[in-house]
Amino acid sequence: MQKYIIEPIEELNGEIEVDGAKNGILPIMAATLLSTEPCIIHKVPSLKDVGVMVEIIRHIGANVDRAKSSMTVNVPKIKNSEAPYDYVSQMRSSFDVMGPLLARTGLARVPLPGGCAIGERPIDLHLKGFKALGASVEFGHGFVQAKADKLVGANIYLDFPSVGATKNIMMAATLAEGVTVIENAAKEPEIVDLAIFLSKMGAKISGSGTDTIRITGVKELKGCEHATLPDRIEAGTFLIMAAMNKSNLLIKNIVPSHLKPVIAKLIEAGVNIKEEEDGLRVISDGKIKPVDITTLPYPGFPTDLQAPFMALLCLADGSSTVLETVFESRFSHISELNRMGAKIKIEGHSAVITGPCQLQSADVKATDLRAGAALVLASLVAQGATTIHDIYHIDRGYNGLETKLRNLGVHITRV
Ligand code: EPU
């Protein structure tokens, strides 16, 4: 098990660049299974989760070539309609292959992804969509299987705007007969990017980015070329990191409109954020005012930045409240931040953070990806060198984090 040892830093000055989005590239890689022709994807982040998805689609029949930050995927034939347990168990978004497999071959068998550190994470809405399109769904021996002679377009209302269900149904519907309408669809930028990718492949999709997405099925999809959108969660993590320190930091390859609630809350907390030609500049004296946040589906405050934002609120001059409404148990970072001297109490789905506090170094554990990011941010302002264990979680979603931090003068060691 690898760990980080991170020393605090006096000031964060300079610039830092955001990579392609983890949650954007993964469904796009799954979508390549829909065509017999090659797809070329650029700005592919070099992440552990991308490696896992490569192995899954290779097992299914994809030829994958990677060169620098580009990837060519060609799936002339589906050799296997089953995703392997060893990989699916490492990454929930492997379930993204279900819709494309079902659409292309009429059969998809994927191990049940199960719960994880942030909640139970059921798949009922994905399955509701597949059934509405005419598939039969069965469970057995730890697998979920969807089967259909043909898929037929349908009206599907999602009880919750699930990102995963919206992606899976949208991909399955591209090759269905007739029109599919997804109501109460997720509106995340990664959904819009997937719709753009599918449209380049020849799919007929309108309304992505709104709560009603309409897909008119086509007979087949072709290859295409696409660049992954910037990672808004990595960008948000850097915004929060700069806010917590004395800093003058330019964050490049960022789409400010994808981060409106985060920018608004940072400004409310007293941070100075300026839009420049090639990015967002954060100027901070590290003094933070207390603010309350509620996580919501996009365009609300992203649950993926709840943990990093809580690290920031530990420094605030007063009491702040964080309400988590997307996942039922995404508070595992709290005990770790408290080990570092934070004063955070859980009250149901809320956390009450009493600041200001001087965080102190400690041995802490990254319990999931974003919890790990929160601990990295806390380490930079703590007294003494912090050791973060189980950093494989962080490797899942932050491309070249050590190099990026070292370039800003941070002393960070991987052991
Ligand atoms: N849900 C259901 N039934 C379903 C699907 C979802 O009840 O069939 C519930 C979930 O249990 C959860 C809520 O709906 O409480 C949101 O789940 P959603 O399906 O929207 O999320 P996801 O597709 O599983 C993606 C991201 C997550 C991000 C969430 C919310 C990817 C690969 N993952 O997950 O990212 O937190 O959307 O924005 O896109 C991360 O990057 O660290 C991460 C966890």
Side-chain angles (χ1 to χ4, degrees), residues 22-23 26 92-93 118 120-126 160-165 167 188 232 303-304 326-328 330 369-370:
K22 167 179 89 73
N23 294 345
L26 296 173
R92 281 192 49 95
S93 47
I118 63 175
E120 196 168 329
R121 305 184 80 179
I123 47 163
D124 54 318
L125 299 172
H126 302 237
F160 182 88
S162 154
V163 174
K167 292 184 295 193
E188 271 70 2
R232 66 193 163 95
T303 171
D304 291 343
V326 179
F327 289 105
E328 68 272 21
R330 203 171 199 178
L369 166 58
R370 309 302 173 187

PDB file of all heavy atoms in Angstrom, residues 22-23 26 92-93 118 120-126 160-165 167 188 232 303-304 326-328 330 369-370, ligand 1:
ATOM      1  N   LYS A  22     -12.113  12.413 -15.733  1.00  0.00           N
ATOM      2  CA  LYS A  22     -12.306  10.981 -15.459  1.00  0.00           C
ATOM      3  C   LYS A  22     -13.744  10.570 -15.771  1.00  0.00           C
ATOM      4  O   LYS A  22     -13.979   9.593 -16.476  1.00  0.00           O
ATOM      5  CB  LYS A  22     -11.994  10.699 -13.980  1.00  0.00           C
ATOM      6  CG  LYS A  22     -12.459   9.332 -13.521  1.00  0.00           C
ATOM      7  CD  LYS A  22     -12.121   9.061 -12.079  1.00  0.00           C
ATOM      8  CE  LYS A  22     -13.147   9.497 -11.070  1.00  0.00           C
ATOM      9  NZ  LYS A  22     -14.367   8.683 -11.004  1.00  0.00           N
ATOM     10  N   ASN A  23     -14.696  11.335 -15.235  1.00  0.00           N
ATOM     11  CA  ASN A  23     -16.091  10.926 -15.405  1.00  0.00           C
ATOM     12  C   ASN A  23     -16.625  11.238 -16.801  1.00  0.00           C
ATOM     13  O   ASN A  23     -17.760  10.912 -17.121  1.00  0.00           O
ATOM     14  CB  ASN A  23     -16.964  11.563 -14.315  1.00  0.00           C
ATOM     15  CG  ASN A  23     -16.602  11.024 -12.936  1.00  0.00           C
ATOM     16  OD1 ASN A  23     -15.924   9.999 -12.832  1.00  0.00           O
ATOM     17  ND2 ASN A  23     -17.041  11.704 -11.890  1.00  0.00           N
ATOM     18  N   LEU A  26     -14.674   7.855 -19.123  1.00  0.00           N
ATOM     19  CA  LEU A  26     -15.091   6.459 -18.875  1.00  0.00           C
ATOM     20  C   LEU A  26     -16.325   6.067 -19.699  1.00  0.00           C
ATOM     21  O   LEU A  26     -16.302   5.043 -20.392  1.00  0.00           O
ATOM     22  CB  LEU A  26     -15.293   6.207 -17.375  1.00  0.00           C
ATOM     23  CG  LEU A  26     -14.010   6.340 -16.537  1.00  0.00           C
ATOM     24  CD1 LEU A  26     -14.323   6.254 -15.047  1.00  0.00           C
ATOM     25  CD2 LEU A  26     -12.992   5.264 -16.915  1.00  0.00           C
ATOM     26  N   ARG A  92     -17.020   1.160 -10.068  1.00  0.00           N
ATOM     27  CA  ARG A  92     -18.459   1.062 -10.324  1.00  0.00           C
ATOM     28  C   ARG A  92     -18.834   1.495 -11.734  1.00  0.00           C
ATOM     29  O   ARG A  92     -19.782   0.988 -12.315  1.00  0.00           O
ATOM     30  CB  ARG A  92     -19.216   1.941  -9.329  1.00  0.00           C
ATOM     31  CG  ARG A  92     -19.375   1.336  -7.985  1.00  0.00           C
ATOM     32  CD  ARG A  92     -20.368   2.158  -7.228  1.00  0.00           C
ATOM     33  NE  ARG A  92     -21.539   2.360  -8.054  1.00  0.00           N
ATOM     34  CZ  ARG A  92     -22.615   1.607  -8.006  1.00  0.00           C
ATOM     35  NH1 ARG A  92     -22.691   0.623  -7.160  1.00  0.00           N
ATOM     36  NH2 ARG A  92     -23.636   1.857  -8.802  1.00  0.00           N
ATOM     37  N   SER A  93     -18.099   2.451 -12.297  1.00  0.00           N
ATOM     38  CA  SER A  93     -18.529   2.948 -13.601  1.00  0.00           C
ATOM     39  C   SER A  93     -18.278   1.936 -14.712  1.00  0.00           C
ATOM     40  O   SER A  93     -18.622   2.180 -15.861  1.00  0.00           O
ATOM     41  CB  SER A  93     -17.912   4.300 -13.919  1.00  0.00           C
ATOM     42  OG  SER A  93     -16.567   4.257 -13.641  1.00  0.00           O
ATOM     43  N   ILE A 118     -19.076   5.296  -0.307  1.00  0.00           N
ATOM     44  CA  ILE A 118     -19.911   6.505  -0.241  1.00  0.00           C
ATOM     45  C   ILE A 118     -21.407   6.191  -0.211  1.00  0.00           C
ATOM     46  O   ILE A 118     -22.222   7.084  -0.149  1.00  0.00           O
ATOM     47  CB  ILE A 118     -19.575   7.509  -1.375  1.00  0.00           C
ATOM     48  CG1 ILE A 118     -19.845   6.933  -2.758  1.00  0.00           C
ATOM     49  CG2 ILE A 118     -18.144   7.984  -1.267  1.00  0.00           C
ATOM     50  CD1 ILE A 118     -19.629   7.947  -3.881  1.00  0.00           C
ATOM     51  N   GLU A 120     -24.782   2.929  -0.834  1.00  0.00           N
ATOM     52  CA  GLU A 120     -25.206   1.628  -1.361  1.00  0.00           C
ATOM     53  C   GLU A 120     -25.167   1.593  -2.889  1.00  0.00           C
ATOM     54  O   GLU A 120     -24.850   0.583  -3.487  1.00  0.00           O
ATOM     55  CB  GLU A 120     -26.616   1.321  -0.854  1.00  0.00           C
ATOM     56  CG  GLU A 120     -26.956  -0.122  -1.038  1.00  0.00           C
ATOM     57  CD  GLU A 120     -28.217  -0.499  -0.296  1.00  0.00           C
ATOM     58  OE1 GLU A 120     -28.495   0.102   0.757  1.00  0.00           O
ATOM     59  OE2 GLU A 120     -28.924  -1.363  -0.789  1.00  0.00           O
ATOM     60  N   ARG A 121     -25.514   2.669  -3.514  1.00  0.00           N
ATOM     61  CA  ARG A 121     -25.439   2.859  -4.967  1.00  0.00           C
ATOM     62  C   ARG A 121     -26.165   1.770  -5.764  1.00  0.00           C
ATOM     63  O   ARG A 121     -25.549   0.990  -6.499  1.00  0.00           O
ATOM     64  CB  ARG A 121     -23.980   3.014  -5.408  1.00  0.00           C
ATOM     65  CG  ARG A 121     -23.305   4.144  -4.636  1.00  0.00           C
ATOM     66  CD  ARG A 121     -21.906   4.398  -5.083  1.00  0.00           C
ATOM     67  NE  ARG A 121     -21.832   5.191  -6.294  1.00  0.00           N
ATOM     68  CZ  ARG A 121     -20.678   5.557  -6.864  1.00  0.00           C
ATOM     69  NH1 ARG A 121     -19.539   5.191  -6.342  1.00  0.00           N
ATOM     70  NH2 ARG A 121     -20.683   6.276  -7.962  1.00  0.00           N
ATOM     71  N   PRO A 122     -27.497   1.736  -5.647  1.00  0.00           N
ATOM     72  CA  PRO A 122     -28.264   0.743  -6.412  1.00  0.00           C
ATOM     73  C   PRO A 122     -28.240   1.038  -7.916  1.00  0.00           C
ATOM     74  O   PRO A 122     -27.819   2.122  -8.344  1.00  0.00           O
ATOM     75  CB  PRO A 122     -29.684   0.892  -5.860  1.00  0.00           C
ATOM     76  CG  PRO A 122     -29.736   2.255  -5.266  1.00  0.00           C
ATOM     77  CD  PRO A 122     -28.343   2.604  -4.839  1.00  0.00           C
ATOM     78  N   ILE A 123     -28.713   0.080  -8.724  1.00  0.00           N
ATOM     79  CA  ILE A 123     -28.730   0.246 -10.182  1.00  0.00           C
ATOM     80  C   ILE A 123     -30.146   0.132 -10.725  1.00  0.00           C
ATOM     81  O   ILE A 123     -30.350  -0.098 -11.912  1.00  0.00           O
ATOM     82  CB  ILE A 123     -27.814  -0.796 -10.872  1.00  0.00           C
ATOM     83  CG1 ILE A 123     -28.080  -2.190 -10.292  1.00  0.00           C
ATOM     84  CG2 ILE A 123     -26.355  -0.424 -10.745  1.00  0.00           C
ATOM     85  CD1 ILE A 123     -27.566  -3.308 -11.141  1.00  0.00           C
ATOM     86  N   ASP A 124     -31.126   0.275  -9.832  1.00  0.00           N
ATOM     87  CA  ASP A 124     -32.523   0.072 -10.235  1.00  0.00           C
ATOM     88  C   ASP A 124     -32.951   0.976 -11.402  1.00  0.00           C
ATOM     89  O   ASP A 124     -33.702   0.555 -12.283  1.00  0.00           O
ATOM     90  CB  ASP A 124     -33.457   0.283  -9.029  1.00  0.00           C
ATOM     91  CG  ASP A 124     -33.241   1.625  -8.350  1.00  0.00           C
ATOM     92  OD1 ASP A 124     -32.067   2.029  -8.173  1.00  0.00           O
ATOM     93  OD2 ASP A 124     -34.227   2.302  -8.010  1.00  0.00           O
ATOM     94  N   LEU A 125     -32.445   2.204 -11.443  1.00  0.00           N
ATOM     95  CA  LEU A 125     -32.887   3.136 -12.501  1.00  0.00           C
ATOM     96  C   LEU A 125     -32.297   2.744 -13.858  1.00  0.00           C
ATOM     97  O   LEU A 125     -32.942   2.891 -14.888  1.00  0.00           O
ATOM     98  CB  LEU A 125     -32.517   4.576 -12.138  1.00  0.00           C
ATOM     99  CG  LEU A 125     -33.162   5.079 -10.836  1.00  0.00           C
ATOM    100  CD1 LEU A 125     -32.601   6.442 -10.448  1.00  0.00           C
ATOM    101  CD2 LEU A 125     -34.676   5.156 -10.989  1.00  0.00           C
ATOM    102  N   HIS A 126     -31.061   2.211 -13.858  1.00  0.00           N
ATOM    103  CA  HIS A 126     -30.469   1.716 -15.104  1.00  0.00           C
ATOM    104  C   HIS A 126     -31.381   0.598 -15.642  1.00  0.00           C
ATOM    105  O   HIS A 126     -31.737   0.566 -16.821  1.00  0.00           O
ATOM    106  CB  HIS A 126     -29.086   1.102 -14.874  1.00  0.00           C
ATOM    107  CG  HIS A 126     -28.067   2.006 -14.252  1.00  0.00           C
ATOM    108  ND1 HIS A 126     -26.873   2.282 -14.856  1.00  0.00           N
ATOM    109  CD2 HIS A 126     -28.039   2.688 -13.073  1.00  0.00           C
ATOM    110  CE1 HIS A 126     -26.148   3.074 -14.079  1.00  0.00           C
ATOM    111  NE2 HIS A 126     -26.848   3.322 -12.995  1.00  0.00           N
ATOM    112  N   PHE A 160     -34.836   9.790  -9.958  1.00  0.00           N
ATOM    113  CA  PHE A 160     -33.760  10.687  -9.522  1.00  0.00           C
ATOM    114  C   PHE A 160     -32.886  10.912 -10.760  1.00  0.00           C
ATOM    115  O   PHE A 160     -32.699   9.981 -11.548  1.00  0.00           O
ATOM    116  CB  PHE A 160     -32.945  10.003  -8.406  1.00  0.00           C
ATOM    117  CG  PHE A 160     -31.846  10.867  -7.853  1.00  0.00           C
ATOM    118  CD1 PHE A 160     -32.085  11.734  -6.794  1.00  0.00           C
ATOM    119  CD2 PHE A 160     -30.560  10.822  -8.398  1.00  0.00           C
ATOM    120  CE1 PHE A 160     -31.070  12.540  -6.291  1.00  0.00           C
ATOM    121  CE2 PHE A 160     -29.544  11.625  -7.897  1.00  0.00           C
ATOM    122  CZ  PHE A 160     -29.807  12.483  -6.838  1.00  0.00           C
ATOM    123  N   PRO A 161     -32.379  12.134 -10.964  1.00  0.00           N
ATOM    124  CA  PRO A 161     -31.572  12.357 -12.180  1.00  0.00           C
ATOM    125  C   PRO A 161     -30.198  11.692 -12.083  1.00  0.00           C
ATOM    126  O   PRO A 161     -29.171  12.366 -11.962  1.00  0.00           O
ATOM    127  CB  PRO A 161     -31.475  13.884 -12.257  1.00  0.00           C
ATOM    128  CG  PRO A 161     -31.653  14.353 -10.846  1.00  0.00           C
ATOM    129  CD  PRO A 161     -32.562  13.368 -10.168  1.00  0.00           C
ATOM    130  N   SER A 162     -30.200  10.375 -12.125  1.00  0.00           N
ATOM    131  CA  SER A 162     -28.955   9.603 -11.973  1.00  0.00           C
ATOM    132  C   SER A 162     -28.052   9.775 -13.196  1.00  0.00           C
ATOM    133  O   SER A 162     -28.491   9.596 -14.333  1.00  0.00           O
ATOM    134  CB  SER A 162     -29.307   8.119 -11.790  1.00  0.00           C
ATOM    135  OG  SER A 162     -28.257   7.298 -12.229  1.00  0.00           O
ATOM    136  N   VAL A 163     -26.802  10.096 -12.922  1.00  0.00           N
ATOM    137  CA  VAL A 163     -25.815  10.267 -13.990  1.00  0.00           C
ATOM    138  C   VAL A 163     -25.617   8.930 -14.715  1.00  0.00           C
ATOM    139  O   VAL A 163     -25.705   8.834 -15.941  1.00  0.00           O
ATOM    140  CB  VAL A 163     -24.468  10.754 -13.389  1.00  0.00           C
ATOM    141  CG1 VAL A 163     -23.381  10.806 -14.432  1.00  0.00           C
ATOM    142  CG2 VAL A 163     -24.649  12.121 -12.733  1.00  0.00           C
ATOM    143  N   GLY A 164     -25.384   7.875 -13.925  1.00  0.00           N
ATOM    144  CA  GLY A 164     -25.102   6.565 -14.519  1.00  0.00           C
ATOM    145  C   GLY A 164     -26.273   6.056 -15.340  1.00  0.00           C
ATOM    146  O   GLY A 164     -26.091   5.551 -16.459  1.00  0.00           O
ATOM    147  N   ALA A 165     -27.504   6.166 -14.803  1.00  0.00           N
ATOM    148  CA  ALA A 165     -28.674   5.650 -15.520  1.00  0.00           C
ATOM    149  C   ALA A 165     -28.903   6.446 -16.797  1.00  0.00           C
ATOM    150  O   ALA A 165     -29.202   5.886 -17.859  1.00  0.00           O
ATOM    151  CB  ALA A 165     -29.903   5.701 -14.607  1.00  0.00           C
ATOM    152  N   LYS A 167     -26.674   7.966 -18.653  1.00  0.00           N
ATOM    153  CA  LYS A 167     -25.662   7.575 -19.643  1.00  0.00           C
ATOM    154  C   LYS A 167     -26.003   6.222 -20.260  1.00  0.00           C
ATOM    155  O   LYS A 167     -25.986   6.052 -21.480  1.00  0.00           O
ATOM    156  CB  LYS A 167     -24.281   7.432 -18.966  1.00  0.00           C
ATOM    157  CG  LYS A 167     -23.664   8.709 -18.471  1.00  0.00           C
ATOM    158  CD  LYS A 167     -22.264   8.480 -17.902  1.00  0.00           C
ATOM    159  CE  LYS A 167     -22.228   7.625 -16.667  1.00  0.00           C
ATOM    160  NZ  LYS A 167     -20.943   7.636 -15.942  1.00  0.00           N
ATOM    161  N   GLU A 188     -25.461  16.802 -16.065  1.00  0.00           N
ATOM    162  CA  GLU A 188     -24.026  17.056 -15.857  1.00  0.00           C
ATOM    163  C   GLU A 188     -23.303  17.316 -17.187  1.00  0.00           C
ATOM    164  O   GLU A 188     -23.678  16.736 -18.221  1.00  0.00           O
ATOM    165  CB  GLU A 188     -23.387  15.815 -15.189  1.00  0.00           C
ATOM    166  CG  GLU A 188     -23.403  15.804 -13.673  1.00  0.00           C
ATOM    167  CD  GLU A 188     -24.776  15.628 -13.046  1.00  0.00           C
ATOM    168  OE1 GLU A 188     -25.777  15.477 -13.786  1.00  0.00           O
ATOM    169  OE2 GLU A 188     -24.863  15.674 -11.813  1.00  0.00           O
ATOM    170  N   ARG A 232     -13.968  18.927 -14.241  1.00  0.00           N
ATOM    171  CA  ARG A 232     -14.453  20.035 -13.393  1.00  0.00           C
ATOM    172  C   ARG A 232     -14.193  19.734 -11.912  1.00  0.00           C
ATOM    173  O   ARG A 232     -14.078  20.644 -11.088  1.00  0.00           O
ATOM    174  CB  ARG A 232     -15.935  20.341 -13.663  1.00  0.00           C
ATOM    175  CG  ARG A 232     -16.874  19.250 -13.285  1.00  0.00           C
ATOM    176  CD  ARG A 232     -18.285  19.442 -13.841  1.00  0.00           C
ATOM    177  NE  ARG A 232     -18.997  18.184 -13.769  1.00  0.00           N
ATOM    178  CZ  ARG A 232     -19.800  17.835 -12.776  1.00  0.00           C
ATOM    179  NH1 ARG A 232     -20.041  18.680 -11.800  1.00  0.00           N
ATOM    180  NH2 ARG A 232     -20.383  16.652 -12.756  1.00  0.00           N
ATOM    181  N   THR A 303     -21.459  16.897  -5.292  1.00  0.00           N
ATOM    182  CA  THR A 303     -21.108  16.031  -4.160  1.00  0.00           C
ATOM    183  C   THR A 303     -19.630  15.652  -4.185  1.00  0.00           C
ATOM    184  O   THR A 303     -19.022  15.452  -3.137  1.00  0.00           O
ATOM    185  CB  THR A 303     -21.994  14.761  -4.150  1.00  0.00           C
ATOM    186  OG1 THR A 303     -21.490  13.854  -3.176  1.00  0.00           O
ATOM    187  CG2 THR A 303     -22.022  14.051  -5.487  1.00  0.00           C
ATOM    188  N   ASP A 304     -19.040  15.592  -5.380  1.00  0.00           N
ATOM    189  CA  ASP A 304     -17.624  15.200  -5.469  1.00  0.00           C
ATOM    190  C   ASP A 304     -16.685  16.253  -4.880  1.00  0.00           C
ATOM    191  O   ASP A 304     -15.502  15.975  -4.678  1.00  0.00           O
ATOM    192  CB  ASP A 304     -17.228  14.939  -6.937  1.00  0.00           C
ATOM    193  CG  ASP A 304     -17.901  13.693  -7.482  1.00  0.00           C
ATOM    194  OD1 ASP A 304     -18.387  12.888  -6.675  1.00  0.00           O
ATOM    195  OD2 ASP A 304     -17.950  13.548  -8.715  1.00  0.00           O
ATOM    196  N   VAL A 326     -26.917  13.788  -2.090  1.00  0.00           N
ATOM    197  CA  VAL A 326     -26.811  12.885  -3.248  1.00  0.00           C
ATOM    198  C   VAL A 326     -26.480  11.450  -2.815  1.00  0.00           C
ATOM    199  O   VAL A 326     -27.093  10.493  -3.281  1.00  0.00           O
ATOM    200  CB  VAL A 326     -25.768  13.416  -4.268  1.00  0.00           C
ATOM    201  CG1 VAL A 326     -25.633  12.467  -5.452  1.00  0.00           C
ATOM    202  CG2 VAL A 326     -26.158  14.817  -4.743  1.00  0.00           C
ATOM    203  N   PHE A 327     -25.517  11.310  -1.916  1.00  0.00           N
ATOM    204  CA  PHE A 327     -25.143   9.974  -1.417  1.00  0.00           C
ATOM    205  C   PHE A 327     -25.462   9.892   0.068  1.00  0.00           C
ATOM    206  O   PHE A 327     -25.313  10.882   0.798  1.00  0.00           O
ATOM    207  CB  PHE A 327     -23.657   9.700  -1.661  1.00  0.00           C
ATOM    208  CG  PHE A 327     -23.340   9.474  -3.119  1.00  0.00           C
ATOM    209  CD1 PHE A 327     -22.709  10.458  -3.867  1.00  0.00           C
ATOM    210  CD2 PHE A 327     -23.702   8.295  -3.748  1.00  0.00           C
ATOM    211  CE1 PHE A 327     -22.433  10.262  -5.214  1.00  0.00           C
ATOM    212  CE2 PHE A 327     -23.433   8.094  -5.092  1.00  0.00           C
ATOM    213  CZ  PHE A 327     -22.800   9.070  -5.833  1.00  0.00           C
ATOM    214  N   GLU A 328     -25.859   8.690   0.521  1.00  0.00           N
ATOM    215  CA  GLU A 328     -26.327   8.602   1.909  1.00  0.00           C
ATOM    216  C   GLU A 328     -25.201   8.525   2.931  1.00  0.00           C
ATOM    217  O   GLU A 328     -25.412   8.820   4.099  1.00  0.00           O
ATOM    218  CB  GLU A 328     -27.332   7.444   2.074  1.00  0.00           C
ATOM    219  CG  GLU A 328     -26.783   6.042   1.922  1.00  0.00           C
ATOM    220  CD  GLU A 328     -26.789   5.542   0.471  1.00  0.00           C
ATOM    221  OE1 GLU A 328     -26.836   6.384  -0.448  1.00  0.00           O
ATOM    222  OE2 GLU A 328     -26.714   4.329   0.283  1.00  0.00           O
ATOM    223  N   ARG A 330     -21.596   9.790   2.570  1.00  0.00           N
ATOM    224  CA  ARG A 330     -20.341  10.297   2.017  1.00  0.00           C
ATOM    225  C   ARG A 330     -19.624  11.198   3.021  1.00  0.00           C
ATOM    226  O   ARG A 330     -19.239  12.324   2.710  1.00  0.00           O
ATOM    227  CB  ARG A 330     -20.616  11.058   0.720  1.00  0.00           C
ATOM    228  CG  ARG A 330     -19.383  11.117  -0.145  1.00  0.00           C
ATOM    229  CD  ARG A 330     -19.621  11.664  -1.511  1.00  0.00           C
ATOM    230  NE  ARG A 330     -18.510  11.268  -2.374  1.00  0.00           N
ATOM    231  CZ  ARG A 330     -18.421  11.559  -3.657  1.00  0.00           C
ATOM    232  NH1 ARG A 330     -19.374  12.249  -4.239  1.00  0.00           N
ATOM    233  NH2 ARG A 330     -17.394  11.162  -4.353  1.00  0.00           N
ATOM    234  N   LEU A 369     -11.853   8.339  -3.136  1.00  0.00           N
ATOM    235  CA  LEU A 369     -11.102   9.284  -3.970  1.00  0.00           C
ATOM    236  C   LEU A 369     -11.177  10.731  -3.470  1.00  0.00           C
ATOM    237  O   LEU A 369     -10.159  11.396  -3.270  1.00  0.00           O
ATOM    238  CB  LEU A 369     -11.662   9.162  -5.400  1.00  0.00           C
ATOM    239  CG  LEU A 369     -11.334  10.214  -6.422  1.00  0.00           C
ATOM    240  CD1 LEU A 369      -9.835  10.334  -6.616  1.00  0.00           C
ATOM    241  CD2 LEU A 369     -12.003   9.847  -7.757  1.00  0.00           C
ATOM    242  N   ARG A 370     -12.401  11.232  -3.276  1.00  0.00           N
ATOM    243  CA  ARG A 370     -12.531  12.661  -2.928  1.00  0.00           C
ATOM    244  C   ARG A 370     -12.182  12.905  -1.459  1.00  0.00           C
ATOM    245  O   ARG A 370     -11.748  14.003  -1.100  1.00  0.00           O
ATOM    246  CB  ARG A 370     -13.934  13.168  -3.261  1.00  0.00           C
ATOM    247  CG  ARG A 370     -14.405  12.847  -4.675  1.00  0.00           C
ATOM    248  CD  ARG A 370     -13.494  13.392  -5.765  1.00  0.00           C
ATOM    249  NE  ARG A 370     -13.890  12.911  -7.088  1.00  0.00           N
ATOM    250  CZ  ARG A 370     -13.212  13.115  -8.198  1.00  0.00           C
ATOM    251  NH1 ARG A 370     -12.081  13.786  -8.184  1.00  0.00           N
ATOM    252  NH2 ARG A 370     -13.636  12.636  -9.357  1.00  0.00           N
TER     253      ARG A 370
HETATM  254  N1  EPU B   1     -29.125   5.944  -7.628  1.00  0.00           N
HETATM  255  C1  EPU B   1     -30.193   5.111  -7.424  1.00  0.00           C
HETATM  256  N2  EPU B   1     -30.498   4.193  -8.389  1.00  0.00           N
HETATM  257  C2  EPU B   1     -29.793   4.082  -9.549  1.00  0.00           C
HETATM  258  C3  EPU B   1     -28.702   4.959  -9.760  1.00  0.00           C
HETATM  259  C4  EPU B   1     -28.390   5.887  -8.785  1.00  0.00           C
HETATM  260  O1  EPU B   1     -30.847   5.164  -6.382  1.00  0.00           O
HETATM  261  O2  EPU B   1     -30.120   3.220 -10.376  1.00  0.00           O
HETATM  262  C5  EPU B   1     -28.760   6.924  -6.582  1.00  0.00           C
HETATM  263  C6  EPU B   1     -27.362   6.623  -6.034  1.00  0.00           C
HETATM  264  O3  EPU B   1     -27.383   5.617  -5.055  1.00  0.00           O
HETATM  265  C7  EPU B   1     -26.925   7.962  -5.505  1.00  0.00           C
HETATM  266  C8  EPU B   1     -27.585   8.945  -6.478  1.00  0.00           C
HETATM  267  O4  EPU B   1     -28.624   8.215  -7.137  1.00  0.00           O
HETATM  268  O5  EPU B   1     -27.425   8.167  -4.212  1.00  0.00           O
HETATM  269  C9  EPU B   1     -26.636   9.523  -7.515  1.00  0.00           C
HETATM  270  O6  EPU B   1     -26.101   8.487  -8.306  1.00  0.00           O
HETATM  271  P1  EPU B   1     -25.677   8.715  -9.826  1.00  0.00           P
HETATM  272  O7  EPU B   1     -26.179   7.541 -10.610  1.00  0.00           O
HETATM  273  O8  EPU B   1     -26.095  10.072 -10.243  1.00  0.00           O
HETATM  274  O9  EPU B   1     -24.102   8.668  -9.736  1.00  0.00           O
HETATM  275  P2  EPU B   1     -23.102   7.688 -10.464  1.00  0.00           P
HETATM  276  O10 EPU B   1     -23.376   7.644 -11.923  1.00  0.00           O
HETATM  277  O11 EPU B   1     -23.016   6.416  -9.727  1.00  0.00           O
HETATM  278  C10 EPU B   1     -21.441   9.638 -10.976  1.00  0.00           C
HETATM  279  C11 EPU B   1     -19.986   9.904 -10.781  1.00  0.00           C
HETATM  280  C12 EPU B   1     -19.712  10.113  -9.297  1.00  0.00           C
HETATM  281  C13 EPU B   1     -20.540  11.310  -8.827  1.00  0.00           C
HETATM  282  C14 EPU B   1     -22.021  11.067  -9.114  1.00  0.00           C
HETATM  283  C15 EPU B   1     -22.898  12.238  -8.775  1.00  0.00           C
HETATM  284  C16 EPU B   1     -18.951   8.697 -12.580  1.00  0.00           C
HETATM  285  C17 EPU B   1     -18.067   7.596 -13.004  1.00  0.00           C
HETATM  286  N3  EPU B   1     -19.213   8.780 -11.273  1.00  0.00           N
HETATM  287  O12 EPU B   1     -21.748   8.473 -10.225  1.00  0.00           O
HETATM  288  O13 EPU B   1     -18.323  10.422  -9.189  1.00  0.00           O
HETATM  289  O14 EPU B   1     -20.365  11.478  -7.446  1.00  0.00           O
HETATM  290  O15 EPU B   1     -22.197  10.777 -10.528  1.00  0.00           O
HETATM  291  O16 EPU B   1     -22.482  13.374  -9.415  1.00  0.00           O
HETATM  292  O17 EPU B   1     -19.366   9.504 -13.388  1.00  0.00           O
HETATM  293  C18 EPU B   1     -16.209  10.476  -8.182  1.00  0.00           C
HETATM  294  O18 EPU B   1     -15.746  10.866  -9.257  1.00  0.00           O
HETATM  295  O19 EPU B   1     -15.548  10.490  -7.105  1.00  0.00           O
HETATM  296  C19 EPU B   1     -17.577   9.971  -8.120  1.00  0.00           C
HETATM  297  C20 EPU B   1     -18.045   9.218  -7.139  1.00  0.00           C
END
